[in-house]
Amino acid sequence: MALDITYLGHSGFLLTDGSHTLAIDPFLTGNPKATMQHNQVKCDYIALTHGHADHFGDTVDIARANKATVIAAFEITEYLGEQGVKNVEPGNTGGKIKTAFGWVAFTQAFHSSSYQGRYMGMPCGIVAHLGGKTFYHCGDTGLFSDMQLLGEIYKPDVAAIPIGDRFTMGPELATKAAEFIDPRTAIPIHYNTWPPIEVNVSKFAPSGVKVNAMKPGETWRAE
Ligand code: NI
Ligand code: MN
C-alpha cells in the first residue's frame, strides 16, 4: 500500500493508490501554474472543498471524460447534476463517505462558497484515506482551534494547508494550523499562483512537522 501525491498547482492534487485515483480541486484551465491540461487527467473520483472557480475548475470536463464520481457539498452536486454529471456523492460538514479506495470525510472550513454568483453550500476541508495513508486537505480556510481536534481524530499523515494570505491563512497562521493538525508532512498550497497571494514560503515553518513545498507537476510518495 502506498499513496502517490501529485500536486497540480494552487490547491489541486491527484492522489493514487495504484488502483484508484482521486482528484481534489482540479483547477487547471486558467491556472498559471498548471503543468497539465484537464484532458490529461485520469481519475475515477473527484472531491471538491468548495465551489469557488479556483477549486471547482475543470470538474465538469474531467468528470464527463472519466465518468468519475464527484464527492462534494450537496449544493455543488445539485449544480453538477444540472450540467449532466450524474455520478455524484453529496455530503456536508462532519460527514464521511465510503468509496472504492477507502473513504472521504468533510471537515469545516472558515470561508465562503459560490460559483458564478450561485450559493454552493458550506465550504469544507476534505480528509481522504487511500493507499494506507490519510490526507487532510484543509480547503480554503482561516485558522481554527478545532484543527487540533481534527488532527487527533483523523491522525493525518499529510496535510495540505493554504498559506497564501488574503483569502486564507497566511504563512504565520498556517504555521499554527500545521502545529494544531500535527501531520507527519505539511504541503503548503494556495500561494504564489497570482500576485495577491504571493508569500515567502519559508515563513511557513511549523515545529515538529516536515514541510514539503511541492512544485506543480511533481509527484511524491507519502511517508
Ligand atoms: Ni475559495
Ligand atoms: Mn481559493
Side-chain angles (χ1 to χ4, degrees):
M1 297 268 269
L3 170 62
D4 288 315
I5 297 170
T6 300
Y7 183 44
L8 300 176
H10 198 54
S11 286
F13 289 93
L14 294 177
L15 309 182
T16 188
D17 63 2
S19 303
H20 298 282
T21 299
L22 169 68
I24 302 180
D25 289 357
F27 164 55
L28 299 168
T29 304
N31 176 353
K33 301 293 181 181
T35 63
M36 198 183 280
Q37 310 235 325
H38 70 79
N39 55 15
Q40 296 173 286
V41 174
K42 301 280 173 253
C43 64
D44 49 350
Y45 284 91
I46 301 168
L48 299 177
T49 61
H50 64 296
H52 287 158
D54 58 318
H55 301 258
F56 187 86
D58 298 288
T59 293
V60 171
D61 286 328
I62 294 169
R64 281 183 184 151
N66 291 272
K67 296 187 170 54
T69 298
V70 183
I71 300 166
F74 170 75
E75 290 80 359
I76 296 177
T77 60
E78 288 284 291
Y79 174 75
L80 286 167
E82 293 166 22
Q83 303 300 309
V85 176
K86 299 299 183 197
N87 298 334
V88 294
E89 286 278 8
N92 214 326
T93 309
K96 185 191 262 187
I97 294 172
K98 283 196 181 126
T99 64
F101 55 76
W103 51 261
V104 167
F106 296 93
T107 70
Q108 62 179 311
F110 281 93
H111 193 63
S112 57
S113 181
S114 59
Y115 187 70
Q116 296 172 346
R118 175 169 165 164
Y119 173 65
M120 282 294 185
M122 291 292 282
C124 293
I126 294 284
V127 186
H129 185 75
L130 74 168
K133 301 287 182 190
T134 301
F135 180 96
Y136 173 22
H137 188 303
C138 295
D140 282 0
T141 187
L143 179 66
F144 55 96
S145 58
D146 275 359
M147 286 174 157
Q148 188 162 18
L149 183 62
L150 293 167
E152 284 172 24
I153 291 169
Y154 290 113
K155 298 181 174 56
D157 299 283
V158 182
I161 301 175
I163 72 158
D165 223 335
R166 184 181 290 268
F167 301 109
T168 68
M169 299 177 283
E172 295 85 359
L173 295 185
T175 292
K176 189 70 200 169
E179 290 169 357
F180 274 156
I181 298 164
D182 195 27
R184 190 166 295 125
T185 305
I187 301 171
I189 59 172
H190 212 274
Y191 71 103
N192 292 1
T193 315
W194 300 283
I197 56 171
E198 267 171 22
V199 295
N200 182 350
V201 68
S202 70
K203 290 188 177 165
F204 178 59
S207 67
V209 178
K210 278 186 228 167
V211 173
N212 183 359
M214 293 183 73
K215 293 186 175 60
E218 183 186 346
T219 299
W220 172 67
R221 179 158 288 187
E223 294 160 359

